Amino acid sequence: MEDPSGLSVNNNEKVIEEAYHQFNRPLSSFIRNKAGNPEDAEDILQDVWFQLSRLESPELIEDLSGWLFTIARHKIIDKSRRKKPWLIDDSGYENADSEVEYPALLLANDSDPETEFHNKAFTDELLKALADLPENQRSVFIKNELEGITLQKIAEETGENLKTIISRKHYAMVRLRNQLGHFYVDYIND
């Protein structure tokens, strides 16, 4: 099979496959050492290989190793320049029973006035933010995050496709992160 330039598409695949076998390990190591965390490193590595796969004629690159490492360096810089939004999920951790638990910010039973003030302010903002969500997103979020019902179970109960339920939860989380992220920033800066 040939593309309009007359070069074999199979040749492109062969170049990419050879490059992957030759450079993936050192490239991965380079990125892991420069990136902030393993997730970012994996994203950057995948972006580099994706960018190479999008080229029409990768075999025309004279120094493929140099090209790959240059692209990786640029992507690392780009990633570090972008401010990563705070994620509600970032404050949780998985316990031994594979359940997500959150720090004492919302769960504190302290009777200290400052904690009570922060909890009340957060609860008020959370309720407002939940009210702003479309009903289908709000319902999925509440059932999953507050009532502990699995997304699979919600899909079964509603007769909806699991992918639809996952999407609704995702969109709800994005909107809530945007509206409530400042509480996390204020809390950790106290």
Side-chain angles (χ1 to χ4, degrees):
M1 182 171 158
E2 291 193 3
D3 68 10
S5 66
L7 297 172
S8 168
V9 172
N10 289 335
N11 190 37
N12 289 353
E13 291 173 9
K14 184 178 179 185
V15 168
I16 293 167
E17 187 175 314
E18 288 173 2
Y20 182 84
H21 288 297
Q22 185 176 359
F23 300 116
N24 190 58
R25 187 171 269 165
L27 187 61
S28 177
S29 213
F30 170 78
I31 294 169
R32 274 195 317 269
N33 288 332
K34 303 279 185 198
N37 62 54
E39 293 84 13
D40 285 347
E42 185 61 30
D43 289 346
I44 291 167
L45 182 64
Q46 294 306 315
D47 285 346
V48 171
W49 290 116
F50 178 73
Q51 192 163 340
L52 179 64
S53 74
R54 303 279 297 168
L55 294 177
E56 288 184 27
S57 304
E59 69 277 355
L60 298 179
I61 298 173
E62 289 182 29
D63 180 9
L64 192 54
S65 172
W67 186 90
L68 290 167
F69 281 86
T70 299
I71 296 300
R73 196 173 6 267
H74 288 277
K75 292 201 175 286
I76 292 165
I77 291 167
D78 289 347
K79 192 91 152 162
S80 69
R81 284 185 182 158
R82 278 186 249 135
K83 287 197 173 209
K84 186 176 179 183
W86 170 73
L87 308 175
I88 290 173
D89 298 342
D90 289 345
S91 63
Y93 63 93
E94 200 169 295
N95 67 20
D97 298 325
S98 297
E99 297 170 337
V100 177
E101 293 187 13
Y102 294 92
L105 172 63
L106 297 176
L107 308 175
N109 289 329
D110 299 346
S111 57
D112 117 21
E114 186 176 354
T115 302
E116 287 179 18
F117 172 78
H118 284 294
N119 286 344
K120 169 97 173 80
F122 182 83
T123 301
D124 291 346
E125 287 297 313
L126 176 61
L127 292 174
K128 285 181 198 172
L130 285 172
D132 289 344
L133 290 175
E135 172 57 34
N136 56 11
Q137 292 176 15
R138 179 175 50 249
S139 174
V140 169
F141 179 84
I142 290 171
K143 286 179 180 180
N144 183 250
E145 288 294 323
L146 303 178
E147 297 174 7
I149 300 172
T150 66
L151 295 175
Q152 179 67 45
K153 182 78 170 159
I154 295 168
E156 291 169 5
E157 288 175 358
T158 61
E160 302 265 3
N161 184 314
L162 179 60
K163 287 183 182 182
T164 301
I165 300 300
I166 291 169
S167 271
R168 288 179 183 164
K169 168 78 183 291
H170 169 76
Y171 289 123
M173 294 295 288
V174 168
R175 289 182 70 170
L176 292 172
R177 284 178 198 135
N178 289 337
Q179 288 183 280
L180 302 173
H182 68 279
F183 273 98
Y184 178 74
V185 172
D186 291 346
Y187 180 73
I188 62 171
N189 289 329
D190 280 349

